[in-house]
Amino acid sequence: MAADSLVLELGNKLDSMKKRATAVKEKAERVTGRAVLGLSGAAGAVAAGVMASELGDEPKLPGTDVDADVAIGGVIVALGAVGLAGDKWSDELVAFGVGMMAPGIARQTKKMMAAR
């Protein structure tokens, strides 16, 4: 009888440990996913910075007055939004595109604020 009780208690503890391990794993996956999204956005901003260093502080699409970082970033966002990179990577593609758009949007906001 005591052996049965011990086996039942050990089984319950094992189940509890499995549930805790699963919860820790799920939380780690959420945190990692958020970190990857953040880094993807930062990588987009870095790409825009590299473009600006090569093409000037306000890079434009050739022959237009359209901000290159905003246009390219917008296309990347659209591609991610329609799921071009599949379920696993489309969110990261969107984050990259938004990060790439951010410097151009900030420039335009600064101009708009200065003009008021």
Side-chain angles (χ1 to χ4, degrees), residues 6 21 26 34 36-37 54 68-69 82 86 100 113:
L6 180 61
E26 289 171 354
R34 290 178 184 141
V36 168
L37 278 175
E54 295 296 319
D69 47 5
V82 298
M100 191 165 192
M113 296 301 288

Side-chain angles (χ1 to χ4, degrees), residues 3 14 27 30 32 39-40 42 63 65 71 73-74 88 92 95 100 103-106 108-109:
L14 181 60
K27 184 168 184 162
R30 282 192 306 274
T32 301
L39 290 172
S40 296
D65 195 34
K88 184 168 175 104
E92 286 77 5
M100 191 165 192
I105 292 169
Q108 293 304 321
T109 301

Side-chain angles (χ1 to χ4, degrees), residues 2 10 20 26 38 55 66 73 92:
L10 289 174
R20 279 189 264 160
E26 289 171 354
L55 301 176
V66 177
E92 286 77 5

Side-chain angles (χ1 to χ4, degrees), residues 3-96:
D4 289 341
S5 176
L6 180 61
V7 169
L8 182 59
E9 183 181 341
L10 289 174
N12 288 339
K13 286 186 179 189
L14 181 60
D15 285 342
S16 176
M17 289 170 45
K18 284 181 183 179
K19 288 177 184 174
R20 279 189 264 160
T22 298
V24 167
K25 179 183 174 197
E26 289 171 354
K27 184 168 184 162
E29 287 174 356
R30 282 192 306 274
V31 169
T32 301
R34 290 178 184 141
V36 168
L37 278 175
L39 290 172
S40 296
V46 168
V50 169
M51 185 185 324
S53 73
E54 295 296 319
L55 301 176
D57 286 341
E58 293 190 33
K60 304 291 183 190
L61 291 178
T64 72
D65 195 34
V66 177
D67 289 343
D69 47 5
V70 176
I72 294 168
V75 169
I76 292 170
V77 167
L79 294 174
V82 298
L84 180 73
D87 288 342
K88 184 168 175 104
W89 297 107
S90 287
D91 290 344
E92 286 77 5
L93 197 60
V94 169
F96 182 90

